[in-house]
Amino acid sequence: MSLTTIEGCASIGGVPLACPSDKKPLALAGRELRCPDGHSYRIVAGIPVLLGRELPDSHPYFEESRRAAEAERPAGTDSVGNRDEVDPFVQQEIVKTSGLLYRSVLGALTRYPIPEIPLPPGDGAQLLDIGCNWGRWSIAASQRGYRVIGIDPGIAGVEAAYRVSRALGQSPEFVVGDGRWLPFSDRSFDVVFSNGVLQHFSKDDARASIREAARVTRPGGKVLIQLANLLGVRQLFNQAKDALRDEQNIFRVRRWTPREMLSTFREHVGPARLTADSFFSLNAQLTDIDLMKPFPKAVVLASHSLKLLSRRVPPLALVADSVYIEASRVA
């Protein structure tokens, strides 16, 4: 990790760190980061653990990371993964991070499933990946030419992200933190990106994260976030199923209507538009089709065909299961 000090403020990857509680600058103090108001955060083997307690935890990862910080256990970020062997953490987390289409390769991945990020070449632009877990989108953005910082509440995922990115010859930076209380100074990023994460937040938490994404985005920058669309064919079925089961899982999928999504982003970020990401699934990645069995492969191919069609017939995106909301940050 490249924790440095710039004009007295701790920075990572050249981006100033801020206290998630009060947004004041953080300073390095031994193995801690401290703000002027006395809030302190541990650094575990180079990984800043920047978790506050202002909001209820949205995942067990939070408490696991706090325990790791209190114990100061080694984080293993000095090690680099093996390019030819898929990291054990990725093997066990692949369905949780990439979806049910990957059930057949649980524990049996033969390569890293790195997606194609829907962004133009980065040319050195600064990008934040909210909810990076083991780093697949951070790595995709890095390969696209962005300077990347990934943030996730789970220290085990951040450790894996470091190992995997280095094994693949990429150098994103990573911190442990909460997407609802981003530990960065205002206007620090050209792009804020998230896929497969905010769809699991309560809508209040998602709105908090969207406001934070806007805060840390520079004027003229972009916020690009994936959400689950209530009007998608698969999501209408899943919503009915969840209602019948009275689903209460804290990390369950929350589905938004296109109107809700667009109005929220226009209010908190700026001018926004909606585009299709996936049909019949929340994570149909054409780049991973070689990893899949015949049925998931057919789903991905059908999704891709409809996604291409939606570019010529934009209203089709309104019934995609997974959509991107792209908003431009106004001054």
Side-chain angles (χ1 to χ4, degrees), residues 75-283:
T77 55
D78 291 333
S79 63
V80 175
N82 187 334
R83 183 184 181 92
D84 299 321
E85 294 181 8
V86 175
D87 193 275
F89 182 88
V90 180
Q91 293 281 20
Q92 73 182 24
E93 293 288 307
I94 185 60
V95 175
K96 294 178 184 177
T97 58
S98 299
L100 297 177
L101 294 177
Y102 293 76
R103 282 182 296 189
S104 64
V105 290
L106 178 63
L109 283 168
T110 55
R111 66 168 179 81
Y112 289 108
I114 305 300
E116 183 177 333
I117 197 164
L119 288 169
D123 297 327
Q126 191 79 59
L127 180 143
L128 175 64
D129 176 15
I130 298 177
C132 64
N133 200 274
W134 60 265
R136 62 188 180 126
W137 290 104
S138 296
I139 294 166
S142 182
Q143 291 173 338
R144 195 81 171 128
Y146 291 87
R147 291 181 294 125
V148 181
I149 296 177
I151 183 169
D152 196 271
I155 194 167
V158 167
E159 293 170 359
Y162 185 91
R163 293 192 301 269
V164 174
S165 61
R166 271 53 183 179
L168 296 179
Q170 302 300 315
S171 54
E173 299 293 347
F174 300 99
V175 303
V176 172
D178 185 345
R180 302 167 299 175
W181 294 81
L182 293 173
F184 305 105
S185 297
D186 296 358
R187 304 181 176 192
S188 292
F189 297 92
D190 301 295
V191 180
V192 176
F193 175 87
S194 186
N195 181 291
V197 180
L198 269 65
Q199 65 187 14
H200 293 287
F201 287 12
S202 73
K203 291 186 179 179
D204 285 344
D205 282 349
R207 290 186 180 96
S209 189
I210 292 162
R211 287 193 295 269
E212 280 288 273
R215 179 183 65 81
V216 302
T217 301
R218 296 175 181 130
K222 179 187 298 184
V223 175
L224 182 64
I225 291 177
Q226 175 271 343
L227 289 170
N229 178 18
L230 178 60
L231 302 186
V233 174
R234 180 74 178 171
Q235 298 317 303
L236 283 169
F237 171 79
N238 286 343
Q239 180 79 0
K241 184 172 66 174
D242 287 353
L244 286 172
R245 291 178 174 177
D246 191 25
E247 180 62 67
Q248 295 298 317
N249 183 343
I250 193 172
F251 212 58
R252 64 189 180 277
V253 171
R254 276 77 166 194
R255 301 166 184 91
W256 300 58
T257 67
R259 184 187 297 273
E260 279 183 296
M261 290 185 260
L262 288 169
S263 65
T264 297
F265 279 77
R266 287 167 179 163
E267 177 184 357
H268 297 301
V269 186
R273 68 187 186 105
L274 180 152
T275 57
D277 174 42
S278 298
F279 292 82
F280 317 122
S281 165
L282 293 177
N283 191 47

Side-chain angles (χ1 to χ4, degrees), residues 20-21 41 51-57 62-63 66-67 70 178 181:
S21 296
Y41 306 91
L51 292 172
R53 293 186 179 272
E54 289 78 5
L55 293 172
D57 293 350
F62 283 76
E63 198 54 41
R66 290 193 188 99
R67 286 198 300 269
E70 290 167 3
D178 185 345
W181 294 81

